[in-house]
Amino acid sequence: MQREGLSAGLKAGLTIAIGYFPVALTFGLLAKTTGLSLIETVAMSIFVFAGAAQYISLSLIAAKVDPILIVLNTFIVNIRHFLMTASLNEKMQPDARWKKAVYAFGITDETFSVISTTGDGRVRTSYAAGVIILSYASWVIFSGIGHVIGANLPLFLQAAMSIALYAMFVALLIPSLKGNRKVVLLALTAAAMNGFFFWSGLLSTGWAIMVSTLASAIFVEILYTRRGNVIRRAVERKEGA
Amino acid sequence: MGNWYWWMLLGMAVVTYLPRAIPLTFLEGKELPPAVSGVLRNIPYAVLGALIFPAILYAQPDDLLFGVIGLASAALIAWWGGGVMGTVLGTIAILAVYSLLAG
């Protein structure tokens, strides 16, 4: 059977594109209130294309934080993509290095979640390209539109839209939780640890997300490997008896 | 903003691209030990947990209830099969009503 290609990718990408619409619109709106021009706003979406990092950079610009520190912070917030693309590499069809270098640019939390949870077996490069093209276009275009029209929206709507980024993360996670205890455990452990780092003030946001993610993924893997071994040994004993 | 903004943007673009590109271009063809690939497969779910919580509670920094309602609405809509678009737009709609009533 031919695995899903470009058109299936575009279809999956459309869901993200529509989900990005309010998130990007809100980014454009916040960028304007922070004092960025239309070109500066759209340029950030074109060249960076990372929702959480862009949101955080706006609050740092508003707080007049040193630009070098903003770059450093962006790096820390985005180190998690290192884990994602390493994980994705296991899932993608082997392909020319330059092609992978091109679509690597389009790996976000959302495109990653969709691509890496697509069916069993390897994912085709064309499928990933489809997912990314529409997501990227939506992100860039609606950042610009948000900047242009955002300030004209009523205040209560502007406030409500600040949930967009998180609602999207929730929507990506919940369907995978259903009937899968391992996924529930992974998400809850990471969330609990991140909460601990946040309220104790031990780590800054970017590091906290990275450490919680990695620790949760390792902890749950050890737990399940052990459980697997215990069951296997029990079966072997039974067969031996 | 000024010149510094464009230098900052260049820096942000580079430090965002490298963590995306290095694993995909340099791990090609290398077999990872099963324990490592097991951990890597867990990452999508763990990272979403950490991205959502506790940041969602502070979506409006001075109104915790806003974040709590947002989290509950998004989780329920997504659970009932709202999909990404339905969840995002539905949650915004609910919080718009809340903001209108509270503000």
Side-chain angles (χ1 to χ4, degrees), chain A residues 15 18-19 22 34-36 39-41 43-44 47-50 57 61 67 70-71 74-75 78 80-87 89-90 94-95 97 100-101 103-105 107-109 112-113 116-117 156-157 159-164 166-174 176 178 182-183 186-187 190-191 194-195 198-199 209 212-214 216-218 221, chain B residues 1-2 4-60 66-67 69-71 74-76 78-81 83-85 87-89 91-97 99-100:
Chain A
T15 325
I18 297 170
T34 308
L36 268 65
I39 294 176
E40 287 164 345
T41 303
M44 193 190 278
F47 295 114
V48 180
F49 188 36
S57 79
I61 291 171
I70 299 180
V71 173
T74 304
F75 179 63
N78 287 332
R80 68 176 189 281
H81 290 144
F82 191 91
L83 301 176
M84 294 185 190
T85 46
S87 158
N89 199 47
E90 299 278 288
D95 211 332
R97 192 167 278 180
K100 300 180 93 180
Y103 75 70
F105 174 78
I107 301 304
T108 64
D109 301 312
F112 167 72
S113 296
S116 66
T117 52
F156 74 91
L157 199 54
M161 285 166 68
S162 63
I163 204 73
Y166 304 109
M168 176 167 234
F169 291 146
V170 172
L172 290 169
L173 177 62
I174 297 283
S176 322
K178 285 190 178 176
K182 192 178 184 184
V183 171
L186 280 165
N194 197 38
F198 178 82
W199 283 303
I209 290 174
S212 325
T213 300
L214 203 51
S216 158
I218 292 171
E221 194 57 28
Chain B
M1 288 280 125
W4 65 268
Y5 178 83
W6 295 98
W7 286 110
M8 182 194 76
L9 205 59
L10 177 67
M12 285 177 70
V14 171
V15 300
T16 306
Y17 179 67
L18 290 181
R20 284 170 169 164
I22 291 172
L24 271 172
T25 48
F26 285 90
L27 288 177
E28 175 75 67
K30 294 194 178 73
E31 256 329 281
L32 290 172
V36 175
S37 61
V39 168
L40 291 177
R41 270 196 299 272
N42 287 343
I43 281 174
Y45 311 109
V47 79
L48 284 172
L51 283 169
I52 294 165
F53 190 86
I56 193 169
L57 300 177
Y58 300 96
Q60 288 290 314
F66 179 96
I69 295 174
L71 177 56
L76 285 176
W79 184 266
W80 289 328
V84 174
M85 173 181 54
T87 304
V88 173
L89 295 181
T91 307
I92 289 177
I94 290 168
L95 286 175
V97 173
S99 303
L100 202 57

Side-chain angles (χ1 to χ4, degrees), chain A:
Chain A
M1 197 188 79
Q2 181 75 328
R3 276 191 297 269
E4 299 188 312
L6 184 66
S7 60
L10 288 171
K11 209 173 146 198
L14 185 64
T15 325
I16 302 180
I18 297 170
Y20 271 174
F21 153 73
V23 183
L25 215 61
T26 312
F27 171 73
L29 175 136
L30 292 175
K32 185 168 189 180
T33 47
T34 308
L36 268 65
S37 71
L38 177 61
I39 294 176
E40 287 164 345
T41 303
V42 174
M44 193 190 278
S45 288
I46 289 177
F47 295 114
V48 180
F49 188 36
Q54 290 184 222
Y55 269 77
I56 293 168
S57 79
L58 288 183
S59 59
L60 297 180
I61 291 171
K64 306 238 180 301
V65 171
D66 188 328
I68 293 172
L69 283 181
I70 299 180
V71 173
L72 191 64
N73 201 280
T74 304
F75 179 63
I76 293 167
V77 172
N78 287 332
I79 299 176
R80 68 176 189 281
H81 290 144
F82 191 91
L83 301 176
M84 294 185 190
T85 46
S87 158
L88 196 62
N89 199 47
E90 299 278 288
K91 179 86 182 164
M92 296 301 301
Q93 80 172 92
D95 211 332
R97 192 167 278 180
W98 70 268
K99 284 190 194 167
K100 300 180 93 180
V102 171
Y103 75 70
F105 174 78
I107 301 304
T108 64
D109 301 312
E110 294 78 20
T111 57
F112 167 72
S113 296
V114 167
I115 297 168
S116 66
T117 52
T118 299
D120 294 321
R122 297 271 172 168
V123 174
R124 290 169 66 192
T125 301
S126 56
Y127 179 85
V131 172
I132 288 165
I133 290 166
L134 280 186
S135 308
Y136 183 54
S138 164
W139 181 251
V140 171
I141 292 167
F142 288 114
S143 302
I145 294 179
H147 188 278
V148 175
I149 66 158
N152 299 321
L153 293 172
L155 279 178
F156 74 91
L157 199 54
Q158 294 190 26
M161 285 166 68
S162 63
I163 204 73
L165 183 71
Y166 304 109
M168 176 167 234
F169 291 146
V170 172
L172 290 169
L173 177 62
I174 297 283
S176 322
L177 291 178
K178 285 190 178 176
N180 191 333
R181 255 190 230 171
K182 192 178 184 184
V183 171
V184 174
L185 193 60
L186 280 165
L188 286 184
T189 311
M193 288 187 63
N194 197 38
F196 168 74
F197 289 133
F198 178 82
W199 283 303
S200 66
L202 269 178
L203 294 173
S204 65
T205 310
W207 284 109
I209 290 174
M210 163 124 175
V211 171
S212 325
T213 300
L214 203 51
S216 158
I218 292 171
F219 165 73
V220 173
E221 194 57 28
I222 292 172
L223 202 69
Y224 272 72
T225 313
R226 281 216 175 153
R227 215 176 62 169
N229 287 342
V230 168
I231 293 169
R232 198 161 43 245
R233 269 199 298 275
V235 170
E236 279 163 8
R237 262 200 304 277
K238 224 175 184 177
E239 283 168 348

